[in-house]
Structures are given as structure tokens and as C-alpha cells.
Amino acid sequence: MNAPAPVAALAPTVKLLIGGQFVDSQSTQWRNVVNPATQEVLARVPFATPEEINAAVASAKEAFKTWKKTPIGTRARIFLKLQQLIREHMGELAALLTAEQGKTLPDAEGDVFRGLEVVEHAAGIGNLQLGELANNVAGGVDTYTVLQPLGVCAGITPFNFPAMIPLWMFPMAIATGNTFVLKPSEQDPMVTMRLCELALQAGIPPGVLNVVHGGEDAVNAICDHPDIKAISFVGSTKVGTHVYNRASLNGKRVQCMMGAKNHAIVAPDANKEQTLNALAGAAFGAAGQRCMALSVVVLVGESQKWIPELVAKAKTLMVSGGTEKGTDVGPLISCAARDRVSSLIERGIADGATLELDGRNPSVPGYEKGNFVGPTIFSGVKPGMAIYDQEIFGPVLCLAAADTLDEAIAFINANPNGNGTAIFTQSGAAARKFQEEIDVGQVGINVPIPVPVPIFSFTGSRASKLGDLGPYGKQVVMFYTQTKTVTARWFDDSTVSQGVNTTISLK
Ligand code: NAD
């Protein structure tokens, strides 16, 4: 494994956002933000001090006093403006994202766009944060609900979607009347910060959105802070489980969207060309660094004969820097990630899987220092092998086999993860059986592992998710608000007295 690079003193610093000001941290602990295709140091990011984290929370707490009373139309219009600003800056945002994260420029635009969709959704908050009213629940009595913001909420995000996932979080939290402290991934915080600059330009008042940087210590401080009411976390299962347990014990509302091992079933009647294209795109796109990447394909019956064509398709994908035209597979986020993926490929061979395509150490002219692993395919993969049991988070596709659809469904349901899955078939009956019986949050039918659009909610089951409610859609309005139930009766001078009521009934 490469030794960590010394922190580059001359690189620009990533700022904290506290009380509406972008400020330099006083921390003594910093790390480099590195272009994963070239190792160029782009910036230095601080690990915020406890005092800085406290100051960010305090500014959010203070801002909540007025923000919670801001008219819903005012809140909505800020997100209308933000969506316009994001559209105007799409090229710049995508280029920044590619530089620090590695994914290809078109995929980086997709990352920003999927976040932009949530901003558009936040602009419709007037239709979302609605209570209910039941008229005459008893004589002259009405009951209604109001959905009130919680207070200071926090978000902790992973490296793999540095635009989309922060935009899953702060727009909906703020649109519902909360104030927010965001802790982006320390590996690629720059595009997130640019989005926060645009958010302030769109009109988010000082203190309503704050950003701190750091790793484990910052996350633990957020989990423990008494003034933070709710936390949305996206990242690995190990860290997410820790955050869920620690923050829940501190009485916070928590949702954790976590790791994955996404399986697809290929039925023998599937459209072969469409299916092979979909498998290659979902397994190797973003170098496999998507929580919705396809990492296991269960080939049912005759489709097991399609392996050579799948390998041929994977070989056509271009591995290069994300800014090169025609690139399909960019670099992994870090040298450590590349070394981990390479060592898992070695484990796969040692565990007895058949290496159909080896993507280690690809030749990438012009990017000799990049963290590249090319498309890699194993067949004969079984539970108990490290490449099956672990989330690889790289461009490595595991092929398993089943004789029947029932067997394939049971295989997927036996895996601990339940983030996404897909079936490829031309049989409606098979697809419907799959949809009914599979225990996974996101289900694709001839669609390789779909991320739901924001009018629905991102879900997940079993080890992939903790907490009941999703990060956007209708569910997140419930996550970021407290339901208050009001039961009201009004008297005027002509109302006849019913006397004293000593029962629990409303009369
Ligand atoms: P990660 O868990 O390493 O980091 C996530 C966040 O936790 C970061 O902000 C990081 O600073 C912080 N963190 C890291 N180590 C910590 C520790 N020991 N204690 C406290 N906080 C810590 O995840 P990652 O590598 O950035 O992202 C990849 C993971 O995220 C994959 O497992 C992927 O499946 C998952 N993911 C899930 C979804 C989903 O919606 N289910 C979406 C994207 C990514």
C-alpha cells in the first residue's frame, strides 16, 4: 500500500461554513484532496476542531428560531432559485466532481442532475408539508395535524456521490423548516462546497446551512451533540451501524442508507443484447463505486452460456481519466481503494472462483499514476468466498448460477444486504413473482438497479438500511418533521353546556 502523501502546504484550503461565512479552520489536522486519475493535490481539507463543530451547531440553533417561522413560499422560492443556479453551473460542477472523484464527465453530470431533481422536489414543499384534518370527530370537534420542523439536523455523506447525496439531505431538511449541519466526505468535499456556495447565493440565510469537515471524530461529535435532533447518514454498513446505534442512544432520529451487494437475475428468455449492455453498464460504470452498482449476476439455466459475450462486451469498455472523451471506466477514489480491490481479486482466485477477465494494472496512457482497475469478471462465485461476502466497491462482477428462478430468488434473499436488485426477463409472470418475493428495497425489472426519482423514496432493506424513513420523497418530510395532533373545539356564547365530562370520550 502507498504511504499517505504529505499534506501539500500550498494547495488551496477547503473552508468551513459557519453562520453564513466561509472560514478557514484553525485545525492542525488536514488531508489532501487528490485527483484520483493523476494524484495531483487539488486542495487541503481540515478536520474541524470540537470548537468549530460546536460553533456550527450553535449557529444552526440560533438560525432555527427565525427560519422555522419563514413562510413556506419563501422557503420554496429559494430552492426554485437554487435549481436554476445548479443548471447554470452544471458544466463547472461536473468538472470539479470529475477532478476530485474520478467518475467520467457525463456520469458526473448525472450525479449533479440526480441531486438537482431533489432540489426541484424541495421547491414543491408547499404541496408536501401538509397536515390532515378530520371534521367533527365529536360534536363540534375537529382534529388536525401540523408537521413542524425538528430543529438542527445533520447529514453525513460518502465519497461516491459528492453532489447527489448532499442534495438528498440539506434541501429537504431546510425546505421543511429545519437548519442543517453537513459533514461531507473528507475524500472529495469540493463540489459539495460549491453547491453550498450556490445555496447561499440562492438565498439560504446565514446559519441555516453550515458545513464542517472531518472524519470519525467529527461524526462522533455530531452523534453526541445534544442540540442535533436528527441525522441522515449515507455510507458503509460498518460506519452507518455505529452512527445509528450511537445517535439513537442519544435520543436522535436517525436514518442510515448503507452498503450493498446488488444481485441481478438473468432469465434465459431475457433479451440478450439489452441485458448484456445493462449488466456491463451497471457493473462497471463509475468503476463499480455506486451503492447501486451491480456486483452479482445469477445466471439462470441457458443464460449461463452468455459468459463469453459478456466478457467480450466488458473488454470494449475504455478505461481512462474521466475527462477523456469516450471513457467508460474512470479511476478508483484512492490508492488504498485500488489496492483493496486488487487484493480482493487475488482472494477470489485463491478461493477458487474462475477469473474470466482480469482488470488489474491496466495500461492507461497519459494517466500512469491513476488508481485504475479495469472491468473484472469472475464466474463460479459462491457464498463463503471473500469476493461474494464483501462489498468490493470496484469494477468487479461476480457470476453465480442457478437452475430455476426460485433458486435464484432464494440465493438473493439469503444475502444479508438488501439495497437493490434487478431481473431481466420477457416473462411478466416471472417478473411479478420476483417483485413479490424478493426482500430488497429497490427492484428493477429490465432496469439495472434503479435509483428512484424524488417523488418516490430511496429505500433499502435488511443490512442496507437502518431507520424507517427514506432520504427523499414523501418519507423524508415525515423524517424531518414532528407530527403534532391538534384537537379543537370552539364555543361561542350560545353553546349549551354539557356539564363536567369525567370519561375519556369526546362528547
Ligand atoms: P464510509 O462509511 O467510509 O464514509 C461515510 C462517512 O462516514 C464519511 O463522511 C466519513 O468521513 C465517515 N466515516 C468514515 N469512517 C468513519 C468512522 N470510523 N467513524 C465515523 N465516521 C466515519 O463510506 P464511503 O467509503 O465514503 O462510501 C462508500 C459506502 O457508502 C459503500 O458502502 C456504499 O455502498 C455506501 N453507499 C450507500 C448508499 C445508499 O444509499 N445505500 C449510497 C452511497 C454510498
Side-chain angles (χ1 to χ4, degrees):
M1 199 178 284
N2 298 355
V7 175
L10 294 177
T13 55
V14 180
K15 311 290 184 218
L16 306 172
L17 171 57
I18 301 176
Q21 301 294 321
F22 290 93
V23 291
D24 262 320
S25 171
Q26 299 306 306
S27 180
T28 52
Q29 205 191 340
W30 295 74
R31 68 171 272 166
N32 291 338
V33 181
V34 178
N35 182 325
T38 62
Q39 309 305 338
E40 179 197 355
V41 176
L42 303 170
R44 299 188 301 140
V45 62
F47 285 60
T49 64
E51 294 74 24
E52 288 164 344
I53 294 170
N54 286 340
V57 178
S59 101
K61 189 179 178 188
E62 183 60 26
F64 181 64
K65 291 179 189 163
T66 45
W67 181 248
K68 68 178 174 186
K69 295 181 187 157
T70 306
I72 207 158
T74 307
R75 284 181 262 144
R77 278 189 287 278
I78 288 174
F79 292 98
L80 271 177
K81 178 71 181 167
L82 179 57
Q83 68 79 30
Q84 179 202 346
L85 289 172
I86 292 174
R87 280 177 198 282
E88 286 169 8
H89 292 83
M90 180 62 87
E92 175 207 335
L93 290 164
L96 192 53
L97 202 161
T98 294
E100 64 176 342
Q101 203 278 346
K103 62 180 70 175
T104 67
L105 273 176
D107 200 28
E109 275 204 23
D111 190 329
V112 179
F113 183 78
R114 294 309 303 263
L116 172 66
E117 289 182 313
V118 183
V119 178
E120 292 169 346
H121 193 65
I125 192 65
N127 293 320
L128 296 170
Q129 199 174 352
L130 296 176
E132 296 173 316
L133 186 146
N135 194 211
N136 287 324
V137 294
V141 176
D142 301 326
T143 296
Y144 53 93
T145 55
V146 287
L147 307 185
Q148 294 192 316
L150 303 175
V152 182
C153 299
I156 300 161
T157 58
F159 79 83
N160 64 331
F161 282 99
M164 177 182 82
I165 292 178
L167 291 175
W168 279 4
M169 295 181 182
F170 76 77
M172 291 307 293
I174 291 174
T176 45
N178 299 283
T179 56
F180 207 74
V181 177
L182 178 66
K183 208 294 294 166
S185 169
E186 67 278 32
Q187 299 196 74
D188 50 8
M190 295 169 71
V191 72
T192 313
M193 292 314 290
R194 187 71 188 109
L195 286 164
C196 292
E197 285 172 14
L198 295 178
L200 263 54
Q201 199 179 324
I204 290 186
V208 172
L209 173 62
N210 303 272
V211 186
V212 295
H213 299 289
E216 183 174 356
D217 289 348
V219 168
N220 286 340
I222 288 169
C223 292
D224 293 347
H225 202 295
D227 290 333
I228 292 177
K229 304 296 178 201
I231 299 177
S232 183
F233 169 90
V234 180
S236 63
T237 302
K238 184 166 168 252
V239 178
T241 305
H242 164 76
V243 166
Y244 189 83
N245 291 337
R246 188 161 178 152
S248 300
L249 278 175
N250 285 324
K252 300 184 197 317
R253 200 176 274 194
V254 196
Q255 56 172 206
C256 293
M257 284 56 69
M258 305 185 293
K261 195 78 183 175
N262 302 313
H263 295 59
I265 292 177
V266 178
D269 68 351
N271 179 306
K272 193 178 193 178
E273 181 62 16
Q274 299 278 7
T275 302
L276 294 177
N277 285 339
L279 299 183
F284 307 123
Q289 298 177 117
R290 292 183 185 135
C291 69
M292 295 295 266
L294 187 55
S295 47
V296 183
V297 172
V298 188
L299 298 165
V300 178
E302 287 291 299
S303 72
Q304 288 160 31
K305 295 183 179 151
W306 299 0
I307 295 176
E309 286 142 293
L310 180 59
V311 170
K313 182 119 358 220
K315 281 183 178 165
T316 66
L317 299 180
M318 176 173 152
V319 181
S320 191
T323 50
E324 294 295 328
K325 209 168 164 41
T327 298
D328 298 296
V329 181
L332 292 166
I333 184 71
S334 62
C335 300
R338 181 204 51 208
D339 293 347
R340 182 180 165 274
V341 170
S342 297
S343 75
L344 274 166
I345 295 173
E346 271 164 41
R347 290 275 304 272
I349 299 165
D351 286 345
T354 304
L355 186 58
E356 303 276 357
L357 179 63
D358 185 356
R360 285 173 297 175
N361 306 314
S363 153
V364 187
Y367 295 91
E368 284 73 15
K369 291 184 183 166
N371 311 321
F372 294 98
V373 175
T376 299
I377 299 178
F378 279 106
S379 64
V381 176
K382 296 189 174 67
M385 295 178 173
I387 51 170
Y388 184 77
D389 293 347
Q390 293 185 34
E391 183 182 25
I392 300 176
F393 229 55
V396 180
L397 179 60
C398 297
L399 303 178
D403 291 334
T404 62
L405 178 60
D406 282 319
E407 201 187 304
I409 290 173
F411 185 83
I412 298 174
N413 284 344
N415 187 281
N417 297 286
N419 205 42
T421 189
I423 187 167
F424 293 87
T425 181
Q426 296 192 44
S427 159
R432 190 164 191 289
K433 177 185 173 69
F434 176 73
Q435 168 198 305
E436 289 293 295
E437 295 182 10
I438 208 72
D439 184 5
V440 175
Q442 268 81 216
V443 177
I445 296 175
N446 297 314
V447 176
I449 323 288
V451 174
V453 293
I455 45 176
F456 296 92
S457 296
F458 195 91
T459 60
S461 68
R462 299 182 282 136
S464 294
K465 173 127 188 287
L466 283 168
D468 303 327
L469 300 167
Y472 53 77
K474 283 183 194 150
Q475 291 186 12
V476 91
V477 177
M478 302 312 292
F479 181 74
Y480 284 125
T481 59
Q482 177 68 42
T483 304
K484 197 176 271 178
T485 309
V486 181
T487 299
R489 168 183 276 158
W490 293 92
F491 307 114
D492 59 24
D493 292 344
S494 66
T495 310
V496 178
S497 170
Q498 300 286 315
V500 177
N501 176 13
T502 57
T503 74
I504 195 174
S505 307
L506 288 168
K507 290 191 177 148

